[in-house]
Amino acid sequence: MKWVFEEQFSFFSCMQVILANSIVKLTLVKPQGWLAGIKYGGMDNLLDIKSPESHRGYWDVNWSVPGGLEPHQFNVRCRISGTEYNVIHHSYDKIEVSFRTTYNPSGLGIKLPLSIDIRYILQNGVSGFHCYAIYERPTGCPAFDLSQTRMVFKLRREKFHYMAISDEKQRIMPMPEDLLPHRGKRLIVPESVMLVNPINPDLKGEVDDKYQYSMDNQESGVHGWISSEPLIGFWVIFPSHEFRSGGPTKQNLTVHTGPACLAMFHGMHYIGDEMVTHFEAGEDWNKVFGPIFVYLNSTPTISNAHSLWLDAKKQRLLEEAAWPYDFISSKHYIRAAGRGSAYGKLVVQDKFLHGSLIPAKSAHVGLSVAKKAGGWQTESKHYQFWVKTDSNGNFNIKNVIPGIYRLHGWVPGFIGDYLEKGFIDITAGSEIQLGDLVYVPPRDGPTMWDIGFPDRTASGYYVPDVSPIYANRLFLNSQEKFRQYGLWDRYTDVNPETEQTFTIGISDPRKDWFFAQVNRKWGKSQYVPSTWTIKFIMDSVTTGTYKLRLAIASATRCSLEICINGMDPEHTVFEVLNLGTDNAVCRHGVHGLYRLFSIEVHSSLLIKGDNSMFLRQTKAGSALCGIMYDYVRLESPAFSESSEQNFEFKAQTS
């Protein structure tokens, strides 16, 4: 193959760097590092030629200065712009170029206290290219907070209309003009627009919202768009998620009307302020975000258009198998020989459920520097390495970057987070045998009753049909009905006269437990607090302390009060104020930051016969605040030692 590698002036008097193999041609703006053009498959530029060169393919950062605005009110949003260009590697096999900006504290104005090196790699005979960035904090940098960083691709708006993010979630998307006032009506969620006069009349009446296409990291290895005339697929592939913040269950944006294709590395979505990365003055740090692979494919016949998605999924598997890559030039990127591994087996011990150890089937197990149980959810400075256990609880975490980690995990069907007590020192070439590990989930006594299944989401509860005026047809017959707009108002529609009441032993969580405890709509625009009731019968009351386990899948600007058999201070067993900034309600999710509360309930509050527990969301005024419950369980007081032994014997022989 003959490389094309040249520099020239563009129409806008900026220097351009041209990289091309026999398949793909990239046009990069020098020294900024913006991706101005991608030529492939008979299309002169896949990127949006109606946008400035700086707005087509770029990295950006949201950050703030401590003491300024709140972290979620992004004080500064900037597009990364390099000041120094270099060719890092140039051979027959590949070319790698660098666009670097170096932090200069003596410069004028407020400057992002990071040095960032953006890299592009084009290989011989490869239908696509790799991108990554090295973020560094040189010694002496001032304190700052990092809220988000990502890479953005804006595609040809007159060409790319069909998006695909999973086998089920694919559709023709609106045009960007459809979001303008004369074609779309903006709703109470700023990113949501009702299409009243779209260019494509088939989309009339639907709601467009970028959050409807969010996905968990663990489920979003490939996403992209397909163009028309010619039929070209543009795909962002994550070969690994080790460099993404928040672990496997962190939700991130993928695509949205633009047409835009995103590579999200760090952000606050579905977690909130706790996801912000805080850097102290003088704190050294570096991290490699990526590489990601932008894969391009095409077909000459429209009947084969779906094959582009199938081919992209196959390419994702190839990229994952090739990870860690052996062609990255940066010293900060650790190749396979410099990495280690850890393996073992995780089992669960719950003597009130089973008399013997239970294999932790399909559990999430990972290495993170977080030191607290569950802390991996908000850890964002370092790398994380996650796998799922097999049916016997075995796991093998490979290709781990050297460092000092803690082993974290959680098991579907059991509440809480696992945290191995000791530290795990991964070195180059190490294969650490962790042996048999036992997770003892929180429990003080046998289950009196429970609601739901503990999987850290609210997906197992009742999700209503969307109001016809807000429907997105993609989700009408989907397992993700919760992605529809406006479901918060459906709570009042489902319960027009009274609040939700759930009766243990009679009610069905999938039919009778609304997936989010939101405020009740009152009149046209008022929202008032809601109180849910759990009714249960006790044949007898044991003197002592009962335990209420409350696993919350998400919380957004809410205050929760729990009372037993009366709603006054004497009957209140739990209260928390201003809980959560997940925003999962308005962003159409069923989980955010997982929280577990263990609440003592003294037997004096309970009575033989009919009992009522009241869940009071006391913060009014907003349609978009609320709580999503994962799982609720009431436990009897702990057994005496003799009773425990008797229970264990019965469990083993039953």
Side-chain angles (χ1 to χ4, degrees):
M1 182 201 73
K2 181 179 179 181
W3 284 104
V4 175
F5 173 47
E6 60 185 66
E7 300 178 8
Q8 60 187 22
F9 283 99
S10 74
F11 177 77
F12 298 101
S13 298
C14 294
M15 284 291 292
Q16 291 183 336
V17 176
I18 307 298
L19 309 179
N21 58 22
S22 58
I23 306 171
V24 182
K25 177 182 177 182
L26 305 181
T27 301
L28 299 157
V29 179
K30 172 187 174 182
Q32 291 87 351
W34 304 320
L35 182 59
I38 303 172
K39 184 177 182 179
Y40 169 80
M43 193 182 300
D44 59 344
N45 196 346
L46 277 60
L47 301 180
D48 186 17
I49 58 176
K50 296 180 181 179
S51 295
E53 291 184 337
S54 59
H55 288 63
R56 300 177 187 175
Y58 58 88
W59 291 71
D60 65 13
V61 167
N62 292 354
W63 65 285
S64 57
V65 177
L69 297 177
E70 292 297 320
H72 64 278
Q73 297 174 308
F74 304 131
N75 193 9
V76 180
R77 179 176 182 175
C78 63
R79 184 173 289 105
I80 304 304
S81 177
T83 58
E84 178 185 352
Y85 163 72
N86 285 289
V87 178
I88 301 299
H89 180 93
H90 187 196
S91 67
Y92 176 81
D93 295 320
K94 70 163 188 175
I95 185 166
E96 180 172 345
V97 293
S98 160
F99 302 86
R100 180 179 175 84
T101 176
T102 302
Y103 173 65
N104 180 8
S106 62
L108 297 176
I110 300 176
K111 295 187 177 296
L112 174 68
L114 283 174
S115 294
I116 298 179
D117 189 352
I118 296 172
R119 302 281 184 94
Y120 296 89
I121 300 172
L122 190 61
Q123 295 177 282
N124 188 346
V126 173
S127 185
F129 57 96
H130 292 82
C131 341
Y132 70 104
I134 307 150
Y135 285 34
E136 297 179 83
R137 273 180 56 82
T139 301
C141 280
F144 88 106
D145 296 332
L146 179 64
S147 302
Q148 176 176 285
T149 192
R150 62 183 184 172
M151 190 174 188
V152 180
F153 301 94
K154 294 185 178 179
L155 306 179
R156 289 276 288 269
R157 61 187 73 182
E158 73 277 15
K159 293 290 186 179
F160 287 89
H161 302 145
Y162 191 88
M163 75 85 188
I165 58 177
S166 75
D167 288 336
E168 297 77 25
K169 290 182 282 190
Q170 304 182 16
R171 67 167 300 176
I172 294 175
M173 294 286 281
M175 298 289 286
E177 293 82 0
D178 294 336
L179 307 185
L180 299 176
H182 66 288
R183 292 193 178 274
K185 176 185 177 182
R186 196 163 298 278
L187 304 173
I188 63 170
V189 177
E191 296 85 358
S192 301
V193 176
M194 180 184 291
L195 306 176
V196 295
N197 183 31
I199 295 172
N200 181 350
D202 292 339
L203 302 179
K204 184 176 181 179
E206 294 203 23
V207 170
D208 179 74
D209 187 331
K210 65 181 181 180
Y211 294 112
Q212 292 177 318
Y213 311 110
S214 299
M215 294 186 70
D216 291 2
N217 285 345
Q218 62 184 339
E219 299 172 349
S220 60
V222 55
H223 58 267
W225 295 78
I226 298 175
S227 71
S228 56
E229 299 179 355
L231 291 164
I232 293 174
F234 181 99
W235 311 103
V236 168
I237 294 178
F238 283 88
S240 170
H241 299 288
E242 66 186 41
F243 43 78
R244 305 180 81 181
S245 301
T249 58
K250 173 68 172 67
Q251 291 183 87
N252 275 310
L253 301 174
T254 56
V255 302
H256 63 77
T257 296
C261 202
L262 308 177
M264 299 292 301
F265 299 104
H266 170 65
M268 297 166 57
H269 298 129
Y270 300 95
I271 298 291
D273 296 347
E274 295 182 66
M275 198 69 229
V276 174
T277 309
H278 304 286
F279 292 99
E280 302 294 333
E283 180 180 354
D284 293 339
W285 174 78
N286 71 78
K287 187 174 183 178
V288 177
F289 290 103
I292 60 168
F293 181 48
V294 175
Y295 179 57
L296 308 173
N297 56 10
S298 62
T299 181
T301 57
I302 191 169
S303 61
N304 290 332
H306 185 65
S307 67
L308 299 181
W309 165 251
L310 299 178
D311 178 52
K313 291 201 303 178
K314 292 178 182 178
Q315 189 64 38
R316 171 194 174 181
L317 297 178
L318 293 174
E319 298 301 317
E320 290 176 345
W323 187 269
Y325 295 139
D326 61 3
F327 54 82
I328 308 302
S329 299
S330 172
K331 66 178 181 180
H332 296 291
Y333 180 83
I334 308 301
R335 299 189 182 190
R339 300 184 177 217
S341 63
Y343 61 99
K345 180 178 182 179
L346 182 65
V347 296
V348 178
Q349 183 184 57
D350 189 336
K351 58 189 176 184
F352 295 104
L353 186 64
H354 201 284
S356 57
L357 297 176
I358 306 167
K361 179 182 178 181
S362 299
H364 290 71
V365 180
L367 293 174
S368 166
V369 301
K371 297 179 181 178
K372 295 182 179 179
W376 56 270
Q377 295 180 96
T378 56
E379 203 292 306
S380 57
K381 288 184 181 178
H382 304 279
Y383 304 93
Q384 297 191 31
F385 305 87
W386 288 85
V387 297
K388 277 191 175 181
T389 60
D390 64 16
S391 59
N392 295 315
N394 297 304
F395 64 89
N396 189 357
I397 308 174
K398 301 178 180 179
N399 297 314
V400 182
I401 293 174
I404 306 296
Y405 299 93
R406 300 287 293 273
L407 185 73
H408 294 257
W410 66 273
V411 187
F414 299 91
I415 59 174
D417 283 273
Y418 174 75
L419 176 64
E420 175 62 15
K421 294 180 180 178
F423 289 91
I424 299 171
D425 186 3
I426 299 292
T427 58
S430 63
E431 297 181 0
I432 298 178
Q433 167 61 269
L434 298 175
D436 293 345
L437 307 174
V438 180
Y439 174 47
V440 182
R443 184 189 281 277
D444 287 353
T447 300
M448 287 193 61
W449 53 260
D450 61 358
I451 301 172
F453 177 80
D455 65 356
R456 306 170 84 93
T457 80
S459 60
Y461 297 119
Y462 175 66
V463 179
D465 292 333
V466 64
S467 171
I469 64 172
Y470 294 134
N472 181 325
R473 284 190 281 273
L474 180 63
F475 301 107
L476 285 179
N477 299 302
S478 168
Q479 292 183 345
E480 295 190 4
K481 290 173 63 177
F482 55 83
R483 293 291 181 192
Q484 298 280 14
Y485 177 89
L487 297 183
W488 46 85
D489 283 345
R490 296 289 286 130
Y491 171 72
T492 307
D493 297 337
V494 172
N495 301 276
E497 301 296 334
T498 60
E499 300 282 19
Q500 174 177 287
T501 297
F502 188 93
T503 303
I504 300 297
I506 298 177
S507 301
D508 182 348
R510 292 187 176 273
K511 297 178 181 178
D512 305 313
W513 187 277
F514 202 81
F515 78 102
Q517 185 174 6
V518 293
N519 284 327
R520 170 179 288 278
K521 188 174 184 179
W522 187 266
K524 292 185 178 181
S525 59
Q526 286 187 310
Y527 289 87
V528 299
S530 60
T531 298
W532 289 5
T533 303
I534 302 172
K535 290 183 175 293
F536 57 99
I537 297 174
M538 297 187 67
D539 295 331
S540 62
V541 178
T542 302
T543 301
T545 301
Y546 291 72
K547 191 63 68 73
L548 177 65
R549 308 289 182 182
L550 189 70
I552 292 179
S554 174
T556 303
R557 299 182 300 279
C558 58
S559 295
L560 178 63
E561 181 180 281
I562 301 179
C563 305
I564 307 290
N565 290 327
M567 289 185 281
D568 53 53
E570 288 73 20
H571 292 84
T572 301
V573 297
F574 177 76
E575 185 176 17
V576 61
L577 303 176
N578 301 316
L579 181 65
T581 54
D582 299 9
N583 280 327
V585 172
C586 71
R587 290 174 178 168
H588 327 299
V590 284
H591 71 89
L593 181 61
Y594 176 82
R595 302 166 175 87
L596 177 64
F597 296 101
S598 296
I599 303 160
E600 293 186 351
V601 179
H602 195 270
S603 57
S604 61
L605 293 173
L606 300 168
I607 59 175
K608 181 179 179 180
D610 295 335
N611 290 262
S612 295
M613 179 180 296
F614 304 102
L615 308 178
R616 306 179 66 193
Q617 200 298 99
T618 60
K619 200 163 187 178
S622 173
L624 306 178
C625 67
I627 304 170
M628 296 182 188
Y629 300 97
D630 167 41
Y631 179 71
V632 186
R633 183 173 74 209
L634 184 64
E635 301 169 6
S636 295
F639 289 150
S640 65
E641 184 176 349
S642 59
S643 298
E644 246 178 54
Q645 292 173 351
N646 185 47
F647 180 86
E648 289 180 359
F649 174 76
K650 289 181 179 179
Q652 291 170 353
T653 56
S654 60

